[in-house]
Amino acid sequence: METGPAVITTKQLAQSIRISLTENGLFDEKRTIGKFNDCVDTVAVPCIPPMRTDGDTSLLKQTGISIEGKHYEIVNVELPVSKQSRNKNTLKQLETALLELISSVTTIMSNGKNIEKSNEIDVEKLKRDVPRNWEVRGNLALIDEKYLQESIWKEFGDELWKTICKVLNVTKIALKSVVSTDGFRTPQVKLVYGEDSWVQHTDNRIKYCYDVTKCMFSSGNITEKLRVSSFPCSGETVVDLYAGIGYFTLPYLVHAGASFVHACEWNPDAVAALKRNLTLNKVANRCQIHEGDNRTIDLIDIADRVNLGLIPSSEDGWPVACRLLKRKSGGILHVHQNVASKPSNHDSELDTEQKISKSDDKKSEVSRIWTQWALRTASVIKHMLESLHKTEWNTNVLHIEHVKSYAPHVDHLVLDLECRPT
């Protein structure tokens, strides 16, 4: 925890305040946004000098982030150190530990001969080869295989991995490459230190157990998993068409209170992990796994809610979802999709005020593209439902959720679509 000035605001406005502070070079990246005085809807956004801590908001107004009728208090507050800052400190520790490992021996074996280190070691080159980032899953660290390529590291065998484990506070090391395009999105991961490649990772009080060499864990979906956890699903039957290891199946069961979930998954390795996770979280009695292609699933007219959590597109699952929705009452579809939006960009010659206006125009254009996608999707699904049931249906766009940026000008969105027979 570190103490420093912060803007006290509401939860709803926190991100807009953070963006404005960042654009003006006043956001403190060493600390993270956190609750203020344990208030549910009040948060502290860390800032750096020249912010004053006597309640004065004039500097805020100068940055252009004051909103009519809103008062922003600036106080000194203790906030957690940001993940980025923690990683920087850990990186320094890792760099130091690995260079000390090299300096702990007087000679290096190379091609069967003793070679004096002083003639062989390029310290700066080795520093660049030290892992700059990693993912920790339970007691395992996942490191990109592009690091630790210098031949000198091979001379240390398990001592190298033991040193990294000590710094990162783990007991296993795995190296990762690009994700396979085999339809299962199988990770290209190799365990290099540790007894086995199974890990247990806790996310939002849900335990996920899986084999890192066979299944992926998408940390970028955390906001959507939290949103699913908040859904009012008591008494509902939910179908998760792309269950994986339980990314959304488990939040529906553990937090959202769904009465029963049908989980569809065609990757046998993911199914094995899903079975373990249902038992681990004590919800196996409220879930049935349907292994194989969900387009051949033998279910109809049972769902109050269908989750279509597949990107880049879940469109193949739309007809399935229409068959699954309850014929008499309908339900809600959560449709995932990668949506491309690239507004024109010719603002290099614009002044600051024009750039701000241009930025607002771009946001409006992106929002328009998202809305168009949602309305087209609603129209297509309405037609599917009416063709299937031979009666009229209404499809109503409830919400468009931006999960994350998938690539430049490509966004992972979720459409909450209410579908009701008329």
Side-chain angles (χ1 to χ4, degrees):
M1 303 287 278
E2 286 193 7
T3 302
V7 179
I8 307 304
T9 184
T10 63
K11 197 174 184 179
Q12 290 77 15
L13 293 174
Q15 286 305 320
S16 61
I17 297 294
R18 180 191 65 79
I19 291 170
S20 295
L21 287 173
T22 300
E23 289 175 348
N24 288 278
L26 294 172
F27 180 68
D28 185 359
E29 295 182 351
K30 293 181 180 178
R31 296 179 294 152
T32 187
I33 297 174
K35 288 183 182 180
F36 180 67
N37 288 347
D38 294 325
C39 296
V40 175
D41 195 47
T42 306
V43 296
V45 184
C47 55
I48 59 177
M51 291 293 183
R52 286 160 53 183
T53 58
D54 55 3
D56 180 69
T57 60
S58 59
L59 285 167
L60 279 176
K61 292 176 182 177
Q62 289 173 22
T63 66
I65 66 172
S66 61
I67 299 176
E68 191 70 29
K70 299 290 183 181
H71 173 74
Y72 297 107
E73 185 182 4
I74 308 167
V75 299
N76 271 325
V77 64
E78 193 177 59
L79 290 171
V81 177
S82 68
K83 182 178 179 181
Q84 182 181 10
S85 184
R86 291 198 304 271
N87 284 350
K88 284 182 179 179
N89 292 335
T90 306
L91 174 58
K92 289 179 181 178
Q93 294 173 21
L94 185 59
E95 190 177 274
T96 299
L98 292 181
L99 292 179
E100 285 179 353
L101 176 65
I102 292 174
S103 65
S104 66
V105 294
T106 56
T107 57
I108 304 168
M109 291 300 295
S110 179
N111 298 323
K113 297 180 181 179
N114 287 338
I115 307 296
E116 291 298 326
K117 287 189 308 171
S118 58
N119 297 329
E120 292 292 318
I121 296 176
D122 183 337
V123 173
E124 292 305 315
K125 191 175 183 180
L126 289 176
K127 283 184 178 181
R128 292 192 294 272
D129 202 32
V130 171
R132 317 305 292 180
N133 47 64
W134 50 85
E135 298 175 51
V136 175
R137 295 285 178 258
N139 61 344
L140 179 144
L142 203 54
I143 298 173
D144 197 305
E145 67 174 6
K146 69 181 179 181
Y147 298 111
L148 302 171
Q149 290 294 306
E150 295 298 317
S151 59
I152 189 173
W153 303 119
K154 296 181 177 63
E155 306 293 339
F156 296 96
D158 283 352
E159 281 302 311
L160 171 65
W161 309 123
K162 288 178 182 178
T163 301
I164 295 175
C165 282
K166 185 176 180 181
V167 175
L168 301 185
N169 194 28
V170 295
T171 59
K172 304 176 185 178
I173 302 288
L175 302 180
K176 67 174 181 177
S177 182
V178 294
V179 177
S180 170
T181 56
D182 59 1
F184 293 152
R185 286 182 60 79
T186 305
Q188 300 297 301
V189 174
K190 178 184 178 182
L191 184 73
V192 293
Y193 186 74
E195 294 181 359
D196 64 73
S197 49
W198 279 84
V199 299
Q200 182 175 309
H201 177 71
T202 301
D203 199 4
N204 189 27
R205 306 193 311 278
I206 296 174
K207 299 172 184 176
Y208 295 90
C209 186
Y210 64 103
D211 186 336
V212 294
T213 65
K214 296 178 179 178
C215 299
M216 288 184 58
F217 186 88
S218 181
S219 56
N221 290 341
I222 180 60
T223 56
E224 182 61 11
K225 284 182 280 189
L226 290 171
R227 198 172 75 96
V228 167
S229 295
S230 70
F231 288 164
C233 296
S234 178
E236 290 187 354
T237 297
V238 178
V239 180
D240 188 357
L241 283 181
Y242 307 96
I245 67 172
Y247 304 112
F248 300 117
T249 295
L250 291 169
Y252 275 115
L253 290 165
V254 176
H255 295 309
S259 291
F260 200 85
V261 174
H262 293 274
C264 307
E265 178 55 45
W266 70 350
N267 181 351
D269 295 315
V271 169
L274 177 57
K275 289 178 179 177
R276 291 177 65 162
N277 292 332
L278 290 169
T279 301
L280 191 62
N281 290 279
K282 301 179 181 179
V283 291
N285 62 321
R286 291 161 45 217
C287 183
Q288 181 180 352
I289 298 174
H290 302 270
E291 187 170 358
D293 192 332
N294 62 32
R295 289 170 292 189
T296 63
I297 189 173
D298 189 23
L299 292 175
I300 191 170
D301 187 25
I302 62 162
D304 299 290
R305 194 181 296 260
V306 182
N307 199 77
L308 298 104
L310 180 67
I311 54 173
S313 175
S314 63
E315 195 162 352
D316 282 350
W318 296 0
V320 185
C322 290
R323 294 198 305 270
L324 289 166
L325 282 179
K326 289 182 176 178
R327 183 188 297 268
K328 291 184 178 180
S329 58
I332 297 174
L333 305 183
H334 301 286
V335 184
H336 290 237
Q337 185 94 1
N338 279 354
V339 178
S341 56
K342 189 175 182 180
S344 59
N345 184 17
H346 303 290
D347 55 4
S348 58
E349 302 299 323
L350 302 179
D351 60 29
T352 301
E353 187 173 338
Q354 288 174 319
K355 285 182 179 179
I356 292 173
S357 176
K358 187 75 172 179
S359 176
D360 291 339
D361 290 343
K362 286 180 181 178
K363 290 176 183 177
S364 298
E365 175 67 8
V366 169
S367 178
R368 186 185 65 81
I369 292 170
W370 292 356
T371 302
Q372 285 182 338
W373 162 75
L375 293 175
R376 281 196 302 268
T377 301
S379 177
V380 171
I381 291 176
K382 173 182 167 67
H383 178 72
M384 286 181 176
L385 287 164
E386 292 179 340
S387 298
L388 175 66
H389 298 298
K390 309 303 179 186
T391 184
E392 290 187 8
W393 281 65
N394 287 330
T395 52
N396 178 35
V397 174
L398 297 178
H399 177 69
I400 302 171
E401 179 72 12
H402 178 246
V403 179
K404 62 180 183 290
S405 176
Y406 186 83
H409 309 294
V410 178
D411 296 289
H412 176 181
L413 304 181
V414 181
L415 165 63
D416 296 345
L417 186 68
E418 183 181 30
C419 307
R420 304 291 181 190
T422 58

